[in-house]
Amino acid sequence: MGILFEVLKQDSRTRARLGRLTTPHGVVETPVFMPVGTQATVKTMTPEEVRDLGARIILSNTYHLYLRPGHELVREAGGLHRFMHWNGPILTDSGGFQVFSLAPLRKLSDEGVEFRSHIDGSRHFFTPEKVVAVQEALGSDIAMVLDECAPYPCSYKDARTATERTTRWAARARAAWNSDGATALFGIIQGSVYRDLREESTRALVDLDFPGYGIGGLSVGEPKPLMYEALEWVIPLIPEDRPRYLMGVGSPDCLFEGIARGVDMFDCVLPTRMARHGAVFTHTGRLVVRNAPNARDFGPLDPGCTCYTCRHFSRAYVHHLLRAGEVLGIRLTTIHNLHFLLDLARRIREAIAEDRFHSLKEQFLAACLTP
Ligand SMILES: CNc1nc2cc3c(cc2[nH]1)N=C(N)NC3
């Protein structure tokens, strides 16, 4: 079964496009923002709240769930959807990024990557085949291949080594994948900030014919113009009828710039992580609600926002909750931030449908970047 992706409308002035992603757990309209639920929960939200905010697909993570509670336990529980009571599509990241960013003491070889758990120091070994099997056991709708994430900055030599290994691993993952099963498998394009490596990686993965493609190795500290340039190298080489997923991105401006370059799917911890630090998105930029000036501000977090938090509570009240360490505080900032990005994606889809994406982008970025 796997997935089916259809382009419904191509924007006339940019590479933006309206799409429909059909999965075994439901249909997703693209461009789409996917909330991150790393450990089988979008932090502080119930699944009903995540759905009511407009989310239709969420992310979870192979590395984390493999280590805790274990993919076999999740399989025994009836799979990840049942375990976490989320009946929409789930995309699981392979752990490629997490092993390289979280796990101490890892040893990389062509066979795979040996690492120690960041939880209890126990030793583990991920291979491209193992990571596919874990995601199929979880029952993911979309699984990602195991990739080697070159850090930024990274020498050309190291980037070439990492990219060539990632390509060999992608072929092994594809061979291990049960392509007749429910779980679709996406390749991940690497190549750091080097045009020839990005193009070689894309061509090699397209030749392997995956149902969709993650664009990895970005949003890892490189300047945003470099990320946009990498998209301009890669996107034209991916077939029109395959979804393009920019991994780990992003903020409102990156959403607009990525969509304008042909990206269909995004995920980012920013809305939930910022919320936990008492910061929120507003239409004129970022607001740190826990900062003193908000103590006596009796207006909403973001004037004009229609989310539950902005309809019922003031900056002063949320400021108080955050300062008092009340859990409701980070729930209210999470509701606002998720609504902000999910509703922005909805407005962008509407704008593409009505041929006014370019003007919405200009108008939004002008307001957002005002001092
Ligand atoms: C936050 N930035 C970010 N860049 C990423 C890049 C990748 C990823 C996750 C990311 N998150 N997962 C992978 N398996 N590979 C590429």
Side-chain angles (χ1 to χ4, degrees):
M1 165 54 181
I3 60 150
L4 169 71
F5 180 70
E6 304 155 275
V7 176
L8 304 178
K9 180 178 176 117
Q10 174 62 50
D11 184 42
S12 51
R13 293 180 59 171
T14 72
R15 285 187 181 278
R17 78 255 187 92
L18 215 50
R20 179 185 295 136
L21 184 64
T22 303
T23 80
H25 282 91
V27 177
V28 178
E29 293 178 293
T30 65
V32 62
F33 172 74
M34 303 182 284
V36 174
T38 299
Q39 301 189 105
T41 161
V42 178
K43 293 186 182 346
T44 79
M45 295 285 101
T46 67
E48 285 76 9
E49 286 171 331
V50 174
R51 179 160 174 95
D52 289 349
L53 284 163
R56 289 297 173 268
I57 178 170
I58 60 167
L59 239 77
S60 204
N61 191 276
T62 305
Y63 167 85
H64 289 276
L65 294 175
Y66 163 82
L67 289 177
R68 183 176 54 190
H71 61 296
E72 294 302 348
L73 182 145
V74 174
R75 188 207 320 253
E76 285 164 40
L80 188 53
H81 292 82
R82 188 179 170 80
F83 189 51
M84 68 181 290
H85 181 55
W86 170 260
N87 58 16
I90 298 174
L91 183 149
T92 44
D93 193 357
S94 57
F97 184 78
Q98 286 70 29
V99 165
F100 291 94
S101 57
L102 268 180
L105 302 176
R106 63 188 170 272
K107 220 166 85 194
L108 194 56
S109 70
D110 239 3
E111 180 53 21
V113 55
E114 180 183 318
F115 62 94
R116 284 187 178 279
S117 162
H118 70 287
I119 298 167
D120 61 11
S122 54
R123 290 157 61 105
H124 301 273
F125 192 65
F126 270 359
T127 64
E129 296 84 359
K130 167 91 178 178
V131 164
V132 169
V134 170
Q135 294 175 88
E136 288 175 335
L138 294 172
S140 309
D141 295 285
I142 299 175
M144 303 307 292
V145 299
L146 179 65
D147 58 329
E148 183 186 342
C149 293
Y152 179 81
C154 171
S155 73
Y156 180 83
K157 178 176 169 296
D158 291 350
R160 171 164 285 285
T161 304
T163 304
E164 289 174 349
R165 177 176 287 130
T166 291
T167 301
R168 290 195 296 275
W169 281 1
R172 285 172 46 190
R174 178 111 176 47
W177 170 48
N178 169 15
S179 55
D180 297 330
T183 301
L185 182 67
F186 280 17
I188 299 179
I189 294 161
Q190 290 286 0
S192 185
V193 293
Y194 302 103
R195 177 164 193 165
D196 60 333
L197 298 184
R198 280 280 168 193
E199 292 179 344
E200 280 174 36
S201 177
T202 308
R203 290 200 176 92
L205 290 180
V206 168
D207 287 351
L208 287 169
D209 186 22
F210 285 97
Y213 298 91
I215 302 166
L218 294 173
S219 184
V220 289
E222 79 285 356
K224 287 182 179 179
L226 261 181
M227 174 164 81
Y228 302 150
E229 198 178 7
L231 292 176
E232 284 158 16
W233 300 333
V234 163
I235 298 271
L237 304 179
I238 302 176
E240 293 284 315
D241 66 346
R242 300 295 154 96
R244 301 80 177 255
Y245 162 29
L246 181 51
M247 305 183 81
V249 174
S251 53
D253 55 323
C254 291
L255 238 59
F256 273 106
E257 298 296 354
I259 290 168
R261 291 169 175 78
V263 174
D264 304 299
M265 301 164 73
F266 299 83
D267 86 273
C268 189
V269 294
L270 207 52
T272 38
R273 183 172 296 169
M274 268 172 66
R276 293 197 301 281
H277 299 150
V280 295
F281 293 118
T282 76
H283 283 84
T284 52
R286 180 191 173 108
L287 172 75
V288 185
V289 190
R290 62 174 300 123
N291 284 357
N294 298 296
R296 305 188 71 82
D297 184 332
F298 302 111
L301 295 188
D302 187 14
C305 177
T306 60
C307 85
Y308 169 77
T309 302
C310 289
R311 279 186 282 116
H312 299 293
F313 306 97
S314 67
R315 290 182 179 186
Y317 177 67
V318 177
H319 172 86
H320 156 64
L321 293 182
L322 294 169
R323 285 298 183 99
E326 282 293 343
V327 174
L328 180 62
I330 60 174
R331 274 179 43 78
L332 293 177
T333 52
T334 299
I335 286 168
H336 172 80
N337 281 349
L338 286 176
H339 168 86
F340 191 95
L341 281 184
L342 289 163
D343 193 56
L344 178 59
R346 180 190 61 75
R347 286 160 50 204
I348 289 173
R349 293 193 295 270
E350 239 171 43
I352 298 172
E354 297 166 7
D355 251 340
R356 53 183 176 77
F357 167 72
H358 190 264
S359 59
L360 177 68
K361 172 169 176 282
E362 297 308 306
Q363 165 205 343
F364 187 94
L365 295 184
C368 186
L369 303 177
T370 46

